[in-house]
């Protein structure tokens, strides 16, 4: 019997580019695959268009499901796995749940390859760059509170079988109770450590998506920010992340630069510099105007104009 699969298009952003990304996943979904707009409505409800199958949640669902509320400002960002439990609570009958972040970009061919891969390769866990964590990994220390062998994954695309979701939900509640009772230190296991580690501890099966799909560090890497307007749905079967429309791209770039003047920041990053030089200057100014001191913004805009002339 064919597996029943739910794709959770996870987002906290509700703009035209995001809706288009959802519709792309839905338009090419094969029989037996349902695509849901899995949205975080903590900051406000989203009025979904008629063709969008919304599955909303918020931080209010954390307590309702008996989960631990830690790091309240970024709770659902550090706890990406919580979206699985929210959805599972109302849709417990799927064989496989696959979460795809809103800033993952598929070409048509890449999306077809993605669906083909998960349909033809059965496992309890699917992830990107799935591997055992080394000693220096950021999230290893907290995970060691509960397990000896720690695994890691990159979270923009993650798949869990029905039994894996049920198992991880139970483990999150169990670990929260251990912290509350004082049996372990008051720390938090990030979702990118928690999910693969607990799946492996349970003896479940796991597959790394980058071994079967066109995913690699050159275009699926947080340091390789991509502007949506430079991409097309046509072409090869490449899957990219993170991909943002021009205005969001500019704002994200400023956050990544973290106080470094943008001309200086871009000088050592030719991939980003080339993209920025190709952007519409009016869009750049509109995006950065609320975020930058006017003097600094003018310096940056002058830099863009001068670089284009040269």
């Amino acid at each position: 019997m064919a597996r029943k699969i739910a794709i959770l298009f996870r987002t906290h952003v509700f703009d035209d580019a995001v809706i288009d990304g959802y519709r792309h996943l839905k338009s090419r979904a094969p029989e037996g695959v349902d695509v849901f707009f899995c949205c975080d409505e903590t900051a406000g409800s989203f009025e979904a268009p008629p063709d969008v199958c919304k599955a909303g949640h918020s931080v209010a669902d954390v307590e309702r499901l008996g989960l631990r509320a830690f790091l309240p400002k970024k709770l659902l960002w550090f706890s990406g796995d919580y979206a699985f439990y929210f959805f599972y609570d109302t849709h417990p009958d799927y064989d496989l749940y696959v979460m795809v972040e809103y800033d993952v970009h598929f070409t048509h061919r890449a999306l077809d390859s993605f669906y083909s891969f998960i349909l033809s390769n059965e496992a309890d866990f699917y992830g990107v760059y799935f591997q055992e964590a080394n000693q220096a990994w950021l999230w290893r220390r907290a995970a060691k509170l509960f397990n000896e062998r720690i695994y890691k994954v990159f979270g923009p695309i993650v798949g869990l079988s029905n039994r894996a979701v049920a198992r991880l939900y139970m483990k999150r509640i169990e670990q929260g109770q251990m912290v509350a009772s004082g049996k372990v230190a008051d720390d938090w296991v990030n979702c990118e450590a928690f999910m693969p580690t607990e799946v492996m501890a349970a003896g479940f099966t796991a597959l790394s998506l980058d071994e079967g799909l066109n995913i690699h560090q050159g275009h699926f890497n947080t340091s390789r920010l991509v502007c949506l307007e430079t991409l097309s749905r046509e072409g090869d079967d490449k899957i990219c992340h993170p991909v943002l429309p021009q205005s969001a791209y500019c704002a994200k770039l400023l956050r990544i630069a973290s106080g470094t003047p943008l001309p200086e920041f871009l000088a050592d990053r030719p991939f980003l510099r080339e993209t920025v030089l190709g952007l519409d200057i009016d869009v750049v100014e509109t995006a950065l105007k609320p975020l930058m001191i006017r003097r600094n913004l003018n310096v940056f805009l002058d830099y863009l104009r001068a670089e284009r002339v040269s």
Side-chain angles (χ1 to χ4, degrees):
M1 181 183 295
R3 288 181 299 163
K4 186 179 178 184
I5 298 173
I7 304 294
L8 313 183
F9 182 82
R10 181 172 176 249
T11 184
H12 63 285
V13 178
F14 314 131
D15 59 26
D16 290 344
V18 170
I19 298 297
D20 180 67
Y22 164 83
R23 287 172 173 154
H24 185 224
L25 262 67
K26 185 177 179 180
S27 69
R28 302 183 81 86
E31 185 178 356
V33 177
D34 298 326
V35 183
F36 295 86
F37 194 80
C38 185
C39 55
D40 177 3
E41 297 183 295
T42 300
S45 61
F46 169 64
E47 191 67 35
D51 64 318
V52 172
C53 189
K54 186 180 85 167
H57 59 260
S58 74
V59 293
D61 293 305
V62 174
E63 183 177 354
R64 182 178 64 81
L65 293 185
L67 294 162
R68 184 176 173 223
F70 190 76
L71 298 168
K73 289 186 178 180
K74 286 192 171 183
L75 173 62
L76 300 184
W77 187 82
F78 282 106
S79 314
D81 57 307
Y82 277 21
F84 282 109
Y85 318 138
F86 299 149
F87 186 81
Y88 179 77
D89 179 57
T90 54
H91 300 78
D93 56 341
Y94 283 90
D95 300 299
L96 177 65
Y97 303 81
V98 183
M99 186 166 64
V100 178
E101 296 283 356
Y102 74 97
D103 53 356
V104 174
H105 182 275
F106 296 87
T107 61
H108 296 316
R109 286 176 56 191
L111 188 52
D112 293 343
S113 296
F114 169 71
Y115 282 135
S116 177
F117 184 85
I118 61 175
L119 285 169
S120 59
N121 294 276
E122 190 167 345
D124 291 294
F125 179 82
Y126 304 78
V128 177
Y129 310 144
F130 166 70
Q131 60 189 288
E132 190 163 358
N134 59 36
Q135 295 288 337
W137 190 47
L138 174 64
W139 305 119
R140 178 184 171 86
R141 179 182 57 80
K144 287 285 286 184
L145 293 170
F146 303 100
N147 289 281
E148 282 302 311
R149 295 189 70 177
I150 309 304
Y151 292 83
K152 61 186 289 189
V153 72
F154 187 37
I157 307 176
V158 176
L160 295 171
S161 68
N162 187 290
R163 70 170 183 168
V165 175
R167 169 81 179 186
L168 295 185
Y169 178 32
M170 178 192 72
K171 295 301 290 186
R172 275 298 198 192
I173 293 176
E174 179 184 299
Q175 291 179 11
Q177 292 171 344
M178 291 174 70
V179 171
S181 67
K183 291 181 180 179
V184 297
D186 187 7
D187 208 339
W188 184 249
V189 185
N190 182 274
C191 55
E192 293 184 344
F194 174 77
M195 289 187 286
T197 297
E198 292 299 340
V199 162
M200 296 305 289
F204 290 171
T205 56
L207 287 173
S208 193
L209 291 170
D210 47 295
E211 294 180 1
L213 299 169
N214 188 4
I215 297 174
H216 63 72
Q217 292 286 349
H219 51 77
F220 206 94
N221 184 334
T222 51
S223 66
R224 301 283 288 183
L225 185 65
V226 180
C227 180
L228 176 63
E229 283 77 4
T230 67
L231 298 176
S232 167
R233 296 291 186 194
E234 305 301 330
D236 61 21
D237 61 351
K238 186 165 60 177
I239 304 174
C240 298
H241 167 85
V243 177
L244 298 170
Q246 286 186 89
S247 57
Y249 177 91
C250 294
K252 179 85 169 185
L253 196 65
L254 188 62
R255 289 196 296 272
I256 295 172
S258 188
T260 303
L262 284 175
E264 180 182 331
F265 176 76
L266 294 172
D268 297 328
R269 296 167 176 82
F271 173 77
L272 295 178
R273 178 178 175 276
E274 181 181 350
T275 300
V276 171
L277 291 178
L279 298 180
D280 184 312
I281 288 184
D282 290 336
V283 172
V284 173
E285 182 173 14
T286 300
L288 296 184
K289 190 174 182 178
L291 305 173
M292 292 182 75
I293 298 171
R294 186 71 211 187
R295 180 181 66 257
N296 294 342
L297 177 58
N298 287 337
V299 169
F300 181 56
L301 295 176
D302 288 344
Y303 160 79
L304 291 185
R305 295 185 183 102
E307 287 294 308
R308 290 184 180 187
V309 171
S310 62

